[in-house]
Amino acid sequence: MKPKAAIKPTPHAKLGKTASPGKVSRARKPAQVPVKRAKTAPDTPGEASTNLTDRAYAVVRRLILQRELTGGEVLVEGRLAERLQMSRTPLREALLRLEGEGLLVRANARSYAVRRITASHYFQCLQVRERLESQAVSLSMGHVPADLVQRLRDDILSLDSSQQGSSHWHADDEIHGMFARASGNAMLAETIAHLRVLCRLFEVVDPFNRIEEDRAEHLAILDAYIAGNEKAAEQAVVTHLRNLARYTLSRLSNGLVTELPQ
């Protein structure tokens, strides 16, 4: 008998390179392609439009409250857009918002007018503000930081009779809005803010003649609050608003302010 031929070992499969005998070949992992992170996209058209609308709203609202746009003045959309260098679409949306807030009324299909407030409406707003703002200062006792009250007090002291524009209105807004916001009652704060806007729309002749009186009355409110005297703070608010009503009434009595049709 012929001897059986020796069985030759089967060569390892080639995976890229010839595998060495006795070793397990491993497949090469595919190269990883780095994933590029998507760049943050710029504002979408909708977001850009919203931003422009907010800007138009803020600008026109400021012009109304600072009386650069006077009561009864007709706002023609195209002319206003040209004046403010804004496109008409966001301006149109801003005017709709201001109409909803009661600052504008429809003059005709294509224009608005700045709302006029009658004297009787103005005095009614002041009466309601007496109740609400005195309650707000009472509810806010202990909730406004002392340093904030003191800073506001210093700002009021720094005002003088020559500051008849935004500085006066800013200080006035701060003192009346601060206690309303700190009252813990959002609806109360919102109502007070709306009533203050309506009062601002009533166009009293030379309203800045009361800067010194306003200063003293505002300081009385803040001093009572700092002292923690709730009743005195409430009374100081009421006194301030009643003095403002008396001042306006005296202007009406002297024929310096006319009854404005609504």
Side-chain angles (χ1 to χ4, degrees), residues 35-56:
V35 178
K36 294 183 179 180
R37 299 183 65 180
K39 294 181 179 180
T40 303
D43 289 342
T44 63
E47 291 172 337
S49 176
T50 300
N51 292 337
L52 289 173
T53 298
D54 289 343
R55 177 172 170 268

Side-chain angles (χ1 to χ4, degrees), residues 130-179:
E130 276 187 31
R131 297 293 185 90
L132 297 187
E133 292 194 39
S134 59
Q135 182 181 17
V137 75
S138 176
L139 291 173
S140 69
M141 293 298 293
H143 296 296
V144 182
D147 60 336
L148 179 60
V149 180
Q150 186 60 51
R151 193 182 320 126
L152 181 54
R153 192 180 190 283
D154 294 340
D155 290 344
I156 292 171
L157 281 171
S158 68
L159 287 174
D160 59 50
S161 57
S162 66
Q163 293 175 300
Q164 298 184 358
S166 59
S167 297
H168 169 84
W169 290 125
H170 177 72
D172 194 62
D173 287 339
E174 279 299 302
I175 191 169
H176 287 278
M178 178 175 67
F179 300 121

Side-chain angles (χ1 to χ4, degrees), residues 104-145:
L104 297 177
V105 293
R106 284 278 182 179
N108 55 51
R110 295 189 177 184
S111 63
Y112 293 88
V114 179
R115 183 178 179 182
R116 281 178 164 176
I117 297 297
T118 65
S120 60
H121 194 175
Y122 172 78
F123 288 121
Q124 289 169 9
C125 286
L126 285 181
Q127 288 177 342
V128 177
R129 282 180 59 190
E130 276 187 31
R131 297 293 185 90
L132 297 187
E133 292 194 39
S134 59
Q135 182 181 17
V137 75
S138 176
L139 291 173
S140 69
M141 293 298 293
H143 296 296
V144 182

